[in-house]
Each structure stands twice: as C-alpha cells, then as structure tokens.
Amino acid sequence: MELNRYHYFMIGLFLLLCGLELQTVESVTLTPEVTKFLAERSGHPVAATGKAVGVLTGTEPPLPPKTISFPEWAGYAALSASAVLVLYSLMLPKPG
C-alpha cells in the first residue's frame, strides 16, 4: 500500500495527540490485572513465586501496581515528529 498525503497527515495528528498527552501526564499506574499480565508474559520472578504460593495456599498474593514514568523528552520528540509529518503531508500533491 502506498502512503499518500492523507496517511501522513493522520499519522502526524496521532503523534500530535500523543505528544500533548506525554507533556501533560507524568506517570501512568497500571491496574493489577495488567500488571499481572505483563509480569507473567515477561517471566518476572515475582509472578512465578506468586503462582507457586497460589497453588499451595489457594490464593494468590497481589502484585504491587506497576508505574510507568515517561522521560521529559518523549513528548517533545512526538511533537517534533508530528510537525514534520504534517508539514510533509501539506507539501505532497493531492491524489488523483
């Protein structure tokens, strides 16, 4: 599939919204279900011991919620990339 100006424009708008969100949010705390899912998929040792304890006692100990902190430059990088893509989309010829 060939990308035309509308695709570049929409990718640029998506990155603009992501960049604005990264500028306003300092960190994200995941729910216990998502934390457990990520720990099981990554092979984290806490998830393995939690399963073993769950088998022995019948209840699984809760995992501490995972908090993701974003670097300050991530928002600026997304905003810069969005500006480049939107300006590039305006320079491309219209399809058809």
Side-chain angles (χ1 to χ4, degrees), residues 73-95:
W73 56 264
Y76 293 117
L79 290 173
S80 300
S82 71
V84 169
L85 285 172
V86 168
L87 291 174
Y88 179 67
S89 73
L90 296 176
M91 299 302 292
L92 288 174
K94 291 184 180 181

Side-chain angles (χ1 to χ4, degrees), residues 1-80:
M1 179 174 106
E2 183 179 330
L3 294 177
N4 60 21
R5 74 183 290 178
Y6 303 118
H7 294 112
Y8 285 110
F9 188 75
M10 287 306 297
I11 294 169
L13 285 181
F14 178 75
L15 282 176
L16 174 72
L17 293 175
C18 288
L20 290 174
E21 183 176 355
L22 287 172
Q23 288 293 326
T24 58
V25 175
E26 289 183 19
S27 64
V28 175
T29 303
L30 301 178
T31 63
E33 294 84 18
V34 174
T35 302
K36 180 181 174 187
F37 176 79
L38 290 176
E40 289 173 355
R41 296 292 183 256
S42 65
H44 197 274
V46 174
T49 57
K51 279 188 176 181
V53 171
V55 169
L56 294 175
T57 62
T59 60
E60 291 188 30
L63 290 172
K66 175 131 177 95
T67 302
I68 300 172
S69 298
F70 302 107
E72 186 178 345
W73 56 264
Y76 293 117
L79 290 173
S80 300

